[in-house]
C-alpha cells in the first residue's frame, strides 16, 4: 500500500469570531458516501445553524475532492477549507464547519479566514497521522547480546515490538521496506555476524505527525 496522511481521530473544535460561532467537525472516511452521510448528520444536528459548509478528500492519491459553501458567498468557505486539507497533504477525511451567525458580517476575506482557520485549528488540536505499511524483522538474540540491543536501537532510531524471553530473546522490528537491507547489514556488523534475523509479515501502522504551520488563508 502507498502511505498517506489523514486525521488521527474523529473530533471537533469550536471558535468564536466576531460573535459568530464556528464548529469544525472532522471524521476519517473511506468513501464519498460515508462523507456525505456525515455531512447530512451534522446538518440534521445543527438544523438551526445558518450554514454547515464542508470539504472532503478521498483515496490514497486524493483523487476525489468535494466542497460546498452551503449558502455562503461562492468561494468563501468550501474551497478554503479544502485548500487547508490539500496543503496538509491529507486524504480520507471530511470536515464540516457549522456557523451560527452572530450578527456581524465578516465580508469575503473574513469568511475565508474564518472557515480555513477553523479547519486548521481543528487539525492542530485533533492531530494528524501517517498510515504506512512497514516490513517486520524477527531478531533472535542471546541474553548477553540483548543487553546491548538498546544501543543498536538508539543508533538506528528504532523501537522493538513484543520481545519474547525464553531460552533466547526474540524481538521484532518494523521499518520501511527501503531500510530493511541496510538494517540487516548494520545488525550483522553490530554483532559481528553472530545474529539471527528473519523477515516476517508486514504491518500497517499509524505514526503521529505534527501539522505544518498553516496560514488561515
Amino acid at each position: 500500500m502507498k502511505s498517506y496522511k489523514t486525521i488521527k481521530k474523529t473530533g471537533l473544535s469550536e471558535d468564536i469570531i466576531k460573535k459568530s460561532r464556528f464548529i469544525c467537525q472532522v471524521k476519517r472516511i473511506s468513501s464519498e458516501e460515508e462523507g456525505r452521510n456525515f455531512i447530512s448528520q451534522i446538518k440534521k444536528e445543527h438544523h438551526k445553524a445558518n450554514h454547515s459548509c464542508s470539504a472532503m478528500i478521498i483515496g490514497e492519491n486524493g483523487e476525489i475532492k468535494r466542497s460546498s459553501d452551503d449558502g455562503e458567498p461562492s468561494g468563501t468557505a468550501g474551497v478554503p477549507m479544502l485548500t487547508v486539507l490539500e496543503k496538509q497533504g491529507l486524504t480520507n477525511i471530511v470536515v464540516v464547519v457549522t456557523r451560527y451567525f452572530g450578527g456581524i458580517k465578516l465580508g469575503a476575506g473574513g469568511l475565508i479566514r474564518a472557515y480555513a482557520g477553523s479547519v486548521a485549528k481543528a487539525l492542530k488540536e485533533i492531530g494528524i497521522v501517517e498510515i504506512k505499511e512497514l516490513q517486520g524483522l524477527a531478531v533472535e538474540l542471546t541474553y548477553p547480546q540483548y543487553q546491548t540491543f538498546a544501543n543498536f536501537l538508539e543508533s538506528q532510531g528504532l523501537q522493538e515490538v513484543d520481545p519474547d524471553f525464553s531460552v533466547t530473546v526474540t524481538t521484532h522490528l518494523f521499518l520501511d521496506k527501503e531500510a530493511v537491507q541496510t538494517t540487516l547489514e548494520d545488525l550483522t556488523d553490530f554483532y559481528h555476524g553472530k545474529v539471527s534475523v528473519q523477515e516476517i509479515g508486514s504491518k500497517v501502522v499509524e505514526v503521529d505527525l505534527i501539522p505544518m504551520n498553516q496560514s488561515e488563508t
Side-chain angles (χ1 to χ4, degrees), residues 25 40-48 100:
Q25 301 195 60
S40 296
Q41 174 188 330
I42 299 303
K43 286 186 174 183
K44 288 178 182 178
E45 291 177 1
H46 295 278
H47 62 276
K48 293 184 179 180
Y100 285 89

Side-chain angles (χ1 to χ4, degrees), residues 14-81:
E14 293 193 32
D15 206 4
I16 302 295
I17 302 173
K18 293 186 177 179
K19 297 186 178 180
S20 282
R21 181 187 179 199
F22 289 85
I23 307 168
C24 181
Q25 301 195 60
V26 186
K27 181 179 175 64
R28 189 190 296 184
I29 57 174
S30 58
S31 68
E32 185 174 355
E33 180 182 8
E34 188 177 357
R36 293 192 181 282
N37 288 340
F38 182 70
I39 295 168
S40 296
Q41 174 188 330
I42 299 303
K43 286 186 174 183
K44 288 178 182 178
E45 291 177 1
H46 295 278
H47 62 276
K48 293 184 179 180
N50 300 86
H51 310 277
S52 284
C53 307
S54 60
M56 73 172 89
I57 301 179
I58 307 154
E60 289 185 9
N61 297 309
E63 53 266 33
I64 299 175
K65 298 180 181 181
R66 302 285 186 264
S67 65
S68 170
D69 294 316
D70 193 39
E72 291 282 28
S74 179
T76 62
V79 171
M81 292 164 60

Side-chain angles (χ1 to χ4, degrees), residues 98-206:
T98 299
R99 180 191 183 193
Y100 285 89
F101 183 55
I104 300 175
K105 293 184 178 181
L106 301 181
L111 288 172
I112 291 171
R113 288 189 292 274
Y115 280 101
S118 293
V119 175
K121 181 174 181 285
L123 295 179
K124 185 176 180 180
E125 292 180 0
I126 295 167
I128 293 172
V129 295
E130 181 179 12
I131 297 179
K132 58 199 302 187
E133 186 175 13
L134 300 181
Q135 178 62 48
L137 296 177
V139 184
E140 184 178 355
L141 303 166
T142 64
Y143 278 86
Q145 286 178 320
Y146 186 71
Q147 291 178 357
T148 62
F149 191 55
N151 297 333
F152 174 80
L153 295 176
E154 184 177 358
S155 69
Q156 300 292 316
L158 296 172
Q159 291 185 334
E160 65 175 330
V161 178
D162 297 330
D164 178 63
F165 301 93
S166 55
V167 177
T168 59
V169 180
T170 301
T171 189
H172 306 85
L173 304 175
F174 288 91
L175 57 157
D176 292 327
K177 292 183 179 180
E178 297 78 9
V180 169
Q181 188 57 42
T182 300
T183 302
L184 289 172
E185 293 172 358
D186 291 343
L187 261 172
T188 300
D189 290 342
F190 189 82
Y191 288 110
H192 308 291
K194 298 179 180 179
V195 62
S196 174
V197 186
Q198 289 186 334
E199 292 191 34
I200 56 176
S202 59
K203 179 180 182 181
V204 177
V205 300
E206 297 186 8

